[in-house]
Amino acid sequence: MMDRRWGPEPTGEGRARFRLWAPDRKTVTLEIRGEESFALEPESGGWFAVEAPADVGTHYRFRLAEELAVADPASRRQDGGVHGWSVLTDPDGFAWQTRDWTGRPWEETVIEEVHPGVMGGFAGVAERLPALAELGLTAVELMPVGAFSGTRNWGYDGVLPYAVAESYGSPDELKALVDRAHGLGLMVFLDVVYNHFGPDGNYLGAYASDFFDEHAHTPWGGAVAVAREPVRRFFIDNALMWLDEYRIDGLRFDAVHAIGDEEFLDAMAQEIRAKLPGRHIHLMLENEGNDPDRLKPALYDAQWNDDFHNVLHVLLTGEREGYYRGFAQDQTHKLARCLADGFIYQGETPPGSDHRRGKPSGHLPATRFISFLQNHDQIGNRAMGERLSLLVDRERMRAATALLLLSPQIPLIFMGDSEGSRSPFLFFTDFHDELADAVREGRRGEFAGFAAFSNDRARASIPDPNDPETFRGSRPEPGPDAEEWRSFYRDLLALRHDAIVPRLKNASGLGAEVLGEGAVAARWRMGDGAQLAITFNLGHQPVQFPAAEGAPLFQLGQAGEPASLRAEIVP
């Protein structure tokens, strides 16, 4: 069978081949702006194709009916938004300066998650890179960049996943960001969304209803039918595009539990690894199911560990509403399990749930888990977008940060963390008319069950996602003690690089002992046979730390007192 791919393919001499999978249509027409139109020829399996005169920069779209013209779902660039014209690009036209870059080993990874829009687009992120490298970070992770409706969005409402959002910059500007990062020794990761499309600008249902599974649903609508070959190819080829054409170092796959197809996930990882040998390519999952079976060397490097964040958030803030309810009981024991085994829920049923969550994970290396104190979800899904810097006292925040950066799990921070930012990160969109009303009211309705927002007046104070001020207010600004935080991060990351990273490969938990409320002594067997011991107290009462076994690698506060932490390497 012919190997068909989504998207246009330049064929040379000012021509290109255009394709579309439109099994619900009998005819499809290619429209080229300012030029003649061409009828696509039907092929087997619902595909249509035509070769036509087209140079780089040609604007085109597909006409499905007199009243309906759509962008190429695999468009590499748009002009006029997701409802506008697709633009033919040259995938090999960028002049890379770092062609010899092959990446960095996973154990060296320390990630900062960034929203390109609030940072001034791709060019703004590129300007920030030298400061991240100087701090000791090794990777920047971009929230989704696929084209979405409007100019402001978190990125999870994307509808054209092959095209970069126009408000962030051009494809070459993204490549320039990646090139500059590699020149500084930084990896670039990208968050991709393969479980749903946004509510405005997705026309696939109008000509390829089989793209969706009518029997399966997600919180965002119908599930994508990845068991069907054209749909599978759409997403796997998209992943390969980011990793090959853009030389991205790794992908974070959003909410794969909503895809619900483990065979697809495994096949995608296997194909990526087979087609990109000789590079450090890192694949990460968000998976509410706490599934350790995907975390194998030939598949996925690691999973975002929400359990780490959730239990620490409860310990640090005392909050117990919403999804924190499942971590409100036996918090310290849960934290000890998380440090020793990775997942907290390994087959138990969380309070408020009607199904079991997770499988045993203690056999996995510690580096299969990505830990964080906050990220876009954990800040932005709060009604007012508050950071921990406004919710937790400075000393306990410093102790929690030291635990994050010195533990063997891979650490992730959110933009602004290392500068003590107190700016909110709010949920923002750029929808209009009835959709804008629905998003605003739906957002406020999500918090009706929270005590602080139990009445209409309180909920009306929640910022409107579509107000441009909501977006502008989400830009991270340095806090008043920014330089102190930068110095603290710099020192901890240098210590991690020098004393922990060389021993990190195959590090595994040896257990964790509860010393008191909020206080734990945890140990890991490192790859060189030494042990890393971290003892800390995030509670409010003093506890007795076990005796030190040598000169501490790091000491914060007086041992055993609240907001204290001690790290040791024990031969």
Side-chain angles (χ1 to χ4, degrees):
M1 181 176 176
M2 180 179 173
D3 185 22
R4 296 185 179 89
R5 291 290 187 269
W6 292 82
E9 178 188 356
T11 57
E13 298 182 353
R15 298 180 67 81
R17 186 170 181 81
F18 297 86
R19 302 184 184 91
L20 186 68
W21 188 56
D24 298 348
R25 294 283 167 166
K26 293 183 178 179
T27 62
V28 178
T29 300
L30 171 71
E31 294 184 343
I32 296 179
R33 191 168 71 179
E35 303 292 342
E36 62 180 308
S37 299
F38 300 87
L40 276 73
E41 296 294 328
E43 298 179 344
S44 62
W47 285 94
F48 292 79
V50 68
E51 185 174 312
D55 291 310
V56 171
T58 293
H59 288 56
Y60 71 98
R61 64 187 182 187
F62 296 113
R63 174 69 60 180
L64 303 176
E66 183 177 350
E67 72 286 356
L68 182 61
V70 302
D72 186 341
S75 165
R76 297 300 206 272
R77 187 174 185 177
Q78 287 296 110
D79 183 6
V82 297
H83 302 287
W85 292 85
S86 301
V87 182
L88 189 63
T89 63
D90 179 2
D92 302 317
F94 184 77
W96 291 94
Q97 303 300 305
T98 57
R99 289 188 177 276
D100 294 335
W101 171 266
T102 59
R104 300 181 66 151
W106 178 244
E107 290 75 23
E108 297 179 5
T109 302
V110 181
I111 307 167
E112 177 169 293
E113 186 190 20
V114 169
H115 184 280
V118 300
M119 297 297 289
F122 299 138
V125 176
E127 290 178 6
R128 168 78 173 151
L129 295 176
L132 301 185
E134 188 274 335
L135 196 68
L137 293 160
T138 63
V140 58
E141 179 174 323
L142 305 176
M143 290 172 65
V145 302
F148 47 77
S149 176
T151 62
R152 308 178 303 275
N153 200 285
W154 272 16
Y156 300 92
D157 289 318
V159 293
L160 297 176
Y162 284 75
V164 298
E166 288 175 76
S167 56
Y168 295 173
S170 68
D172 277 0
E173 285 177 303
L174 176 54
K175 292 174 183 178
L177 185 164
V178 175
D179 207 22
R180 187 174 192 190
H182 291 170
L184 293 164
L186 291 168
M187 296 179 284
V188 179
F189 300 153
L190 178 64
D191 197 346
V192 294
V193 184
Y194 294 166
N195 53 66
H196 76 286
F197 292 89
D200 183 33
N202 172 31
Y203 294 98
L204 281 161
Y207 56 88
S209 56
D210 282 350
F211 203 100
F212 302 96
D213 185 346
E214 63 181 10
H215 302 295
H217 296 276
T218 76
W220 312 282
V224 291
V226 292
R228 297 181 179 126
E229 183 60 24
V231 182
R232 173 179 297 229
R233 283 264 54 93
F234 184 84
F235 292 112
I236 294 179
D237 287 353
N238 181 256
L240 289 167
M241 179 196 75
W242 295 121
L243 296 168
D244 187 17
E245 182 180 328
Y246 286 83
R247 299 186 63 81
I248 297 286
D249 298 282
L251 301 173
R252 181 258 193 189
F253 298 91
D254 178 68
V256 299
H257 51 272
I259 296 175
D261 189 320
E262 295 174 356
E263 192 276 331
F264 163 74
L265 293 174
D266 292 355
M268 178 168 60
Q270 289 164 356
E271 183 170 340
I272 288 170
R273 303 224 180 265
K275 290 190 173 179
L276 296 168
R279 287 175 56 193
H280 293 287
I281 297 293
H282 303 306
L283 306 179
M284 298 148 273
L285 298 172
E286 181 193 25
N287 189 345
E288 207 173 74
N290 279 6
D291 178 12
D293 294 342
R294 312 275 73 74
L295 303 179
K296 301 173 182 177
L299 296 175
Y300 294 88
D301 293 87
Q303 176 178 316
W304 275 30
N305 193 1
D306 285 320
D307 287 359
F308 181 93
H309 162 269
N310 291 347
V311 71
L312 271 169
H313 189 94
V314 173
L315 272 170
L316 292 170
T317 68
E319 294 180 0
R320 295 164 177 252
E321 294 181 289
Y323 48 69
Y324 295 127
R325 179 182 175 188
F327 300 85
Q329 299 176 357
D330 300 320
Q331 304 153 23
T332 309
H333 286 86
K334 284 184 169 63
L335 177 55
R337 189 183 205 192
C338 182
L339 294 171
D341 293 347
F343 296 140
I344 292 174
Y345 284 103
Q346 301 180 31
E348 301 82 5
T349 301
S353 175
D354 57 2
H355 62 274
R356 295 177 181 271
R357 180 179 175 223
K359 299 178 183 178
S361 60
H363 62 287
L364 293 172
T367 53
R368 294 292 183 215
F369 306 93
I370 299 171
S371 298
F372 41 86
L373 296 177
Q374 48 194 2
N375 60 37
H376 73 275
D377 268 334
Q378 315 301 352
I379 304 172
N381 282 337
R382 300 178 63 82
M384 309 306 289
E386 308 98 324
R387 293 172 179 262
L388 282 175
S389 55
L390 295 177
L391 304 174
V392 180
D393 67 82
R394 177 178 178 275
E395 295 308 314
R396 293 174 75 224
M397 189 68 194
R398 281 166 59 88
T401 299
L403 175 63
L404 171 71
L405 297 183
L406 297 181
S407 294
Q409 295 190 12
I410 298 298
L412 176 143
I413 66 173
F414 191 60
M415 58 181 183
D417 286 356
S418 62
E419 297 181 314
S421 179
R422 299 180 183 181
S423 306
F425 183 72
L426 297 159
F427 177 67
F428 48 81
T429 55
D430 187 16
F431 297 132
H432 302 279
D433 303 322
E434 293 181 0
L435 180 56
D437 295 338
V439 169
R440 179 179 58 254
E441 297 311 312
R443 168 74 172 170
R444 291 172 175 172
E446 289 176 7
F447 296 96
F450 288 72
F453 300 98
S454 58
N455 60 72
D456 292 342
R457 182 177 179 181
R459 289 194 295 277
S461 70
I462 297 173
D464 179 357
N466 299 290
D467 186 340
E469 286 302 317
T470 302
F471 169 77
R472 286 192 282 268
S474 297
R475 292 169 177 157
E477 299 292 342
D481 49 359
E483 191 47 52
E484 291 182 34
W485 277 107
R486 290 190 197 101
S487 178
F488 188 61
Y489 270 80
R490 189 181 296 113
D491 291 346
L492 285 170
L493 291 175
L495 188 62
R496 180 182 184 88
H497 176 78
D498 293 342
I500 296 174
V501 167
R503 300 179 166 97
L504 200 48
K505 191 174 181 64
N506 297 321
S508 59
L510 290 174
E513 176 188 1
V514 173
L515 305 177
E517 185 63 31
V520 173
R523 282 179 176 264
W524 297 266
R525 173 77 66 187
M526 306 303 282
D528 64 352
Q531 292 185 25
L532 170 65
I534 299 181
T535 309
F536 61 90
N537 182 9
L538 297 176
H540 296 283
Q541 301 298 323
V543 299
Q544 183 69 42
F545 276 12
E549 299 182 54
L553 181 68
F554 177 80
Q555 178 82 48
L556 181 67
Q558 185 174 342
E561 293 296 312
S564 62
L565 180 144
R566 184 181 71 208
E568 305 168 84
I569 297 291
V570 182

